[in-house]
Amino acid sequence: MSSADVLSHRPGAVRRLQPTLASHLAFTLGSAALLMVMYSLLRLALLLYNHEQIGTTPASVFAEAFFNGLRFDLRLVVYACAPLLLSVLSVHAMRARRLHVIWLTLFASLTLFLGVSELDFYREFHQRLNSLVFQYLEEDLNTVLSMIWYGFPVVRYLIAWALATLVLAWLFIRIERSTRPRDGQLASAWYWRVVVFILCLLVAVIAARGTLKQGPPLRWGDAYTTDSMFANHLGLNGTLTLVDAAKNSFSDHRDHAWKSTLPEDEALKVVRGMLLGEHDTLVDADKAAVRRIYQPPQANTLPVRNVVVILMESFAGRWVGALGSDANITPNFDRLSKEGLLFKRFFSNGTHTHQGMFATMACFPNLPSFEYLMRTPEGGHQFSGLPQLLSARDYDDVYVYNGNFQWDNQSGFFSNQGMRRFIGREDFVDPVYIDPTWGVSDQDMFDRGAQELAKMDQQKPFYALLQTLSNHTPYALPKDLPVEPVTGHGSYNEHLTAMRYADWALGQFFEKAKQQPYYKNTLFVVLGDHGFVSSKQLTEMDLFRFNVPLLLIAPGIQDQFGTSRETVGTQVDVVPTIMGRLGGDVQHQCWGRDLLSLPEGDQGTGVIKPSGSDQTVAIIDGGKILIQPKELPARLYEYRLGADAEVKVLQDDPDEAAMHKRLEAFLQSATQSLLNNRSGAVSGKAD
């Protein structure tokens, strides 16, 4: 019989093994140390798993990131150990060590699970865990689970997580046993426990705040102490960034909308100066920010009547040969670019398909707190998009897509905007390949798109949206690929293979389209919905995730406008540019401009923002980009894209103040327009 058993049968002896303050604090500190080690190991795993992001960054920078990470990890450890600290006030609570071990194991296991999940999350998005997690959970759960199951090594991760949880449980038990009070020690008096609790509470508050200074507690910006965005991201704690995102996701998103920083009249004046040109006449000035009648110059129109928009999934400009890549990923697009007008400095407004769709087709920007506009009540407003403007001209329409239109509320949003015909996953018969997650392959989508366009009534004009999907995890690729798989690019091989396949399918579509009568009077608009991550990250905005090609193909376009443009544009410029080629007066309230009717010397401008809860915003003006992270100073860069892409920080630049003011005015006015339901071509309900 053990000494504990003997004591448990001796009257009056129980108090001799009551937990002491020293033993309880030792148990608490030992457990905290184990958690700190675990979080540092997770950070190391994130570094190694995404080692392609290291580049030429010296080890000292990552050492600084790990030091920064300790501060964030310590905050999380305080939360984990809070029940143990509260137990100091009660001998009975301190005695419940088995419950403490269970709590610590569950907490550690959950945060370990998040850490393991974050390995691929960061590789995919170059962001720590954020509101994207909740956005996906709000979608069709079966599709999300299928995407995860087929796109990532789920079984391997679950086994590793389960085994690591068992190891953690064993270690917490060992810490508990090694810190038990020795025989003969007496429990501390109540007043000592209160004193120690107050001291522990003070230490815990300081640790949770992350600083001894007055002012705000530790913020995510405190991790941004180096010139390497990868190192700065490593300094954060994924569990904490997810908790912050949860607070925002489950509160009224309007509470986190862009706050006004300029007088309303001043903001309107600035934004109208940005978007209105000599061919625009402002209307409803007292009701709408930039509602105007646009009169395209007759000399800038084209002999076209139909419009086909092709939105290419993850068609990153970094890998497009026509934009400087030598990887031979997009030979078909490169060939087509020689037949049309290519914009070389074009950007997506966001970093997900959701933002690419509504920015391109509804010409409304990606705004803080409204990144998933099509799924919010504000998405039910009327905008000035292609469906509204061309439906008013009695155009027929068709939207062909690989997947299910319920995803991202596409059918609900676009039908409300004026589209009538939707052909999605359930409408394909005997496809070449159907992915268990998303739908049919790009080959099938383009084949069906070609068939539908060929059947359109040639007596009426039409517009169409063809949207690809194969270049998205898990990649919807047929078993017998018609292209050579990409090699030599490490973890990007599969992604680039999917991009090469999408490019091949695009080429096949154009071969069919060129045989049809409608081709000679149709404007084709080919662009990426967004890019994807790269081993080289130019700025904190990760420009490679925004840079996409825009290609216009139409009869006579090269004779009139040349073969390429360096003009800066974003997806909100697509609709005005289309309307400018069709000709005829049009009333709209697009938050972009006709890129082919800009004033002499105007290099173009655009406002961009990543998806998720990252509230960083930026304005691009010609060859400069001003990036404004939340709660941090703005930074101005000179940038260059293409094969030799690079950036340079600009100090004391005379353009910085004006760019910052335009950025503030644009976001403020667009947000108010949306909230007041005054974003359409005509007066909204609030008017």
Side-chain angles (χ1 to χ4, degrees), residues 362-402:
C363 61
F364 194 81
N366 183 31
L367 299 174
S369 191
F370 296 97
E371 295 88 350
Y372 294 90
L373 187 59
M374 296 192 300
R375 300 207 307 255
T376 67
E378 292 78 13
H381 298 171
Q382 291 297 306
F383 296 91
S384 292
L386 206 61
Q388 294 88 344
L389 302 182
L390 294 187
S391 294
R393 296 187 179 189
D394 198 28
Y395 271 57
D396 283 339
D397 66 80
V398 65
Y399 183 178
V400 186
Y401 175 54
N402 314 55

Side-chain angles (χ1 to χ4, degrees), residues 306-319:
N306 309 312
V307 178
V308 176
V309 178
I310 302 175
L311 198 61
M312 302 288 291
E313 169 69 40
S314 300
F315 212 68
R318 176 168 173 75
W319 300 102

